[in-house]
Amino acid sequence: MAQEDPLISVIINCKDGEKFLHECISSVLNQSYKNFEIIFFDNNSLDKSKEIINAFQTNKIKYFYSDKNLLLGEARNLALSKATGEYITFLDTDDIYLKERLSTQIELMIQLNYAVSYSGYMEINKKGEYLKKILPRISSGNIFEKILKKYDVNLQTIMLQKELVDRLEVSFDKRLNFSEDGDFFLNISINEPVLVVKEALIKYRIHPDQDTRKKYNLVAKEFKITLNKLKNNYPEKYKKYKKAFDFAFVKLTYFEFLDILINVN
């Protein structure tokens, strides 16, 4: 696609992400699709993240810094507020875009007239070695009921129109520090049909130090916040998807029980 095509804002939130940061940023700068900006939001990092960013010397990167530690939900909102692109997508500092990621996804969204989409991904280890491929099993359309039962959407694979975010008035919940991405996407998919791209477009790194593993104790608490918020904000949709909500609340009980077992030993 050509330079006049829609601007895509790639949002990267960082908290001491120096270890894989150069590879992460390079994967965006090397995209076949060229009309993008990188919104890099540094959440009070104490490592060399800023030095790594400065070394790229490109006007594609817009650097923002918080002088205090923020919960991830609030940090993602602040980053989102800086985006000027017609389309929005995300990347975490330990993950990687495949070269055709942006071009493949935006072309399909425009061609098939969807305002939001997500794709599959590859899992890699800390050395970048291939582990397995995770592809969506569901079809495009109204997917809310299915992903409420089994949420398998990777934030890094989501692309959406900025207009959709503004129209639905959705944001990342400031109370959440683990599942802010799932909460965000569920609040979109309950209102909007979703394009499911059954290709792996990113590499998702699995390693002992990744942020997700450190915060797993928050699963039950934050999932409860999301379920109750969806139930209260969309009473008609709650009635429509009652069986799926019932299933999700049962799953919540399981998460709460698991949390007790882990923390009480």
Side-chain angles (χ1 to χ4, degrees):
M1 299 180 77
Q3 185 68 28
E4 67 268 21
D5 288 312
L7 178 66
I8 300 175
S9 296
V10 179
I11 295 177
I12 301 177
N13 282 84
C14 175
K15 172 61 180 173
D16 296 325
E18 65 178 6
K19 189 171 184 180
F20 305 107
L21 185 54
H22 189 277
E23 190 177 9
C24 165
I25 298 295
S26 296
S27 77
V28 184
L29 295 177
N30 292 330
Q31 287 292 295
S32 61
Y33 189 94
K34 299 303 181 184
N35 195 19
F36 64 85
E37 64 177 5
I38 297 174
I39 303 298
F40 189 87
F41 190 89
D42 189 339
N43 191 4
N44 196 230
S45 293
L46 302 176
D47 63 1
K48 296 181 180 179
S49 293
K50 185 175 183 180
E51 295 175 33
I52 294 170
I53 292 299
N54 288 339
F56 281 101
Q57 297 183 335
T58 172
N59 59 10
K60 288 282 192 183
I61 302 175
K62 298 178 180 179
Y63 179 88
F64 302 92
Y65 182 80
S66 173
D67 58 6
K68 62 179 181 179
N69 288 323
L70 304 172
L71 292 180
L72 190 50
E74 184 174 4
R76 291 204 191 278
N77 274 336
L78 288 171
L80 184 60
S81 71
K82 307 297 183 183
T84 63
E86 185 178 339
Y87 288 79
I88 307 290
T89 190
F90 306 91
L91 184 61
D92 286 343
T93 56
D94 42 7
D95 302 323
I96 302 167
Y97 282 174
L98 298 183
K99 187 177 180 65
E100 304 296 328
R101 185 273 157 106
L102 295 181
S103 61
T104 298
Q105 204 158 353
I106 196 168
E107 285 178 15
L108 286 171
M109 289 179 67
I110 293 172
Q111 176 186 345
L112 299 174
N113 195 28
Y114 278 88
V116 58
S117 67
Y118 80 99
S119 77
Y121 58 95
M122 299 178 191
E123 286 188 354
I124 58 174
N125 63 19
K126 64 180 181 180
K127 296 180 181 180
E129 298 167 335
Y130 174 84
L131 297 176
K132 61 181 177 180
K133 186 180 291 186
I134 310 292
L135 298 180
R137 296 184 178 182
I138 62 177
S139 298
S140 303
N142 295 313
I143 68 169
F144 173 77
E145 186 173 14
K146 292 178 180 177
I147 64 171
L148 181 62
K149 289 182 176 180
K150 185 179 181 181
Y151 191 86
D152 60 356
V153 181
N154 189 306
L155 175 67
Q156 278 70 242
T157 74
I158 294 171
M159 183 181 287
L160 68 163
Q161 291 179 353
K162 181 66 161 55
E163 181 275 333
L164 178 66
V165 176
D166 298 335
R167 173 163 51 86
L168 296 180
E169 298 182 338
V170 292
S171 62
F172 292 95
D173 195 311
K174 294 181 180 181
R175 297 169 292 177
L176 305 183
N177 201 36
F178 171 80
S179 60
E180 80 298 329
D181 54 339
D183 179 272
F184 178 77
F185 194 68
L186 283 168
N187 276 273
I188 291 172
S189 62
I190 198 171
N191 290 296
E192 187 78 13
V194 176
L195 171 65
V196 182
V197 181
K198 297 188 178 183
E199 296 181 45
L201 297 179
I202 72 139
K203 294 181 180 180
Y204 178 69
R205 196 182 306 267
I206 305 295
H207 60 95
D209 297 324
Q210 70 185 130
D211 201 42
T212 302
R213 290 172 179 249
K214 296 177 182 177
K215 298 175 181 177
Y216 197 74
N217 63 302
L218 298 175
V219 172
K221 176 184 176 182
E222 297 195 358
F223 188 45
K224 186 174 185 178
I225 290 173
T226 295
L227 283 180
N228 284 322
K229 185 168 67 172
L230 289 167
K231 178 181 177 181
N232 294 330
N233 289 351
Y234 307 105
E236 293 303 317
K237 299 285 179 68
Y238 173 71
K239 292 178 183 178
K240 180 178 180 180
Y241 300 119
K242 182 67 164 53
K243 289 184 178 179
F245 271 99
D246 288 345
F247 182 89
F249 276 108
V250 170
K251 185 186 287 188
L252 172 62
T253 303
Y254 164 76
F255 285 143
E256 289 174 332
F257 181 65
L258 189 63
D259 187 45
I260 292 170
L261 284 177
I262 293 172
N263 289 309
V264 180
N265 195 23

